Structures are given as C-alpha cells and as structure tokens.
Amino acid sequence: MPRGGRILIVALIFLLALAIPVVSASIVISEVMPNPIDGCSDCTEWVEIYNNGTPVNLTGFILDAGGKNITLKGVIEDFIIITEDKSIFLAIWQINQSKILNDTTSLNNSGDVVVLYNSSELIEYITFPSFSSLDNQTYARIPDTGNWTLCQTP
C-alpha cells in the first residue's frame, strides 16, 4: 500500500476514535421504581440515572421508559430522577428538586425494559422483573458489581 494510503487510514482511525463518546460510559441507569405506593395510579414511578464521572450535558440523551421516549436535558452532576408528578414525588421522597426531571414514564408493573441512548448510540438497557406484588420497592444496580437486585428501601 502506498504511504499516502496508510496515512489516510491512520487519519480515519484517529477521527473515528474521536467520534466515540467516552463520556457516555459514566452515565448509567441506576434504579427504577415501577410500582410506588403514591395514591395516584403510579404517577410517581421513577427511573434514576447516575453519573459516576465529571458533569455531563444530557443534550441528545433519550430514555425509553416503558415505550415512552423521554428527551433528557440539563447537566447531570451525580444523579437525576425522572418521574411524572414532581410535586407528589417531592412530598413523598423529599430530595433536592433540582435532581428531578418531570416527564411521563410508563413502566409496566409486570416487568419491562428501560433503555438509555446518547443520540442513536445505545448506552445500556435493563430488563426488570414483575413488581405487581412488590409495592414501593425498586430494582437497583449494585455499585461495585453492576449487578441488579430488588431493593426494599430505595
């Protein structure tokens, strides 16, 4: 192969490497609550997104929560929670309201899939089991292993 062809290939590989978003690896789905006791037909079911790196601008990130695509926005420093009714959620959980994104989730209590994308790139997905008889419990990521478990105290 001529020298000019090799340089072109190396340059293309370098440009492709730059196009791969390294920051996305720090953003993960960390917890879901599909069947809360909230008195409003699951209006406070929620999905938590966790950032284990430096602050990330969520422009271009999409969360598919139970078949509903939610466009994420803002900057995530450590975590955010996506829930349908921010005011009822805050009355129940009493956390910093700046951590809450108000949007409709549609998690199926009999089990579902939650998917996180950065533009069209799949970041990750989780499949959680039935929560039909598991009120007010979550499906949570174990930080050190990345495995998932039922959690009785979110």
Side-chain angles (χ1 to χ4, degrees):
M1 175 182 286
R3 179 175 160 82
R6 285 189 215 135
I7 292 173
L8 180 61
I9 289 173
V10 169
L12 286 173
I13 291 171
F14 177 75
L15 288 174
L16 286 173
L18 289 177
I20 298 171
V22 176
V23 71
S24 296
S26 67
I27 305 293
V28 296
I29 301 166
S30 55
E31 195 167 11
V32 297
M33 179 178 278
N35 195 13
I37 298 173
D38 55 17
C40 59
S41 298
D42 290 348
C43 71
T44 63
E45 63 185 18
W46 49 270
V47 176
E48 181 182 78
I49 307 294
Y50 178 74
N51 176 15
N52 60 9
T54 60
V56 173
N57 184 332
L58 292 174
T59 300
F61 281 78
I62 296 171
L63 180 72
D64 178 345
K68 169 142 183 2
N69 284 340
I70 299 167
T71 301
L72 302 178
K73 54 190 175 235
V75 173
I76 180 172
E77 293 179 9
D78 47 5
F79 73 94
I80 58 167
I81 293 175
I82 300 95
T83 188
E84 179 177 341
D85 195 313
K86 183 177 183 174
S87 61
I88 294 175
F89 180 91
L90 288 169
I92 295 169
W93 297 104
Q94 302 170 351
I95 67 169
N96 184 332
Q97 68 178 341
S98 69
K99 303 291 184 186
I100 310 299
L101 290 180
N102 207 57
D103 209 317
T104 305
T105 57
S106 183
L107 302 174
N108 189 337
N109 292 349
S110 61
D112 216 333
V113 177
V114 178
V115 186
L116 181 63
Y117 299 95
N118 183 355
S119 297
S120 60
E121 175 195 1
L122 173 67
I123 302 300
E124 79 166 330
Y125 71 93
I126 63 145
T127 303
F128 62 86
S130 176
F131 275 74
S132 296
S133 61
L134 300 172
D135 295 338
N136 236 36
Q137 296 183 40
T138 66
Y139 197 52
R141 179 186 298 270
I142 301 169
D144 294 338
T145 67
N147 294 330
W148 288 83
T149 187
L150 292 175
C151 184
Q152 294 181 351
T153 53

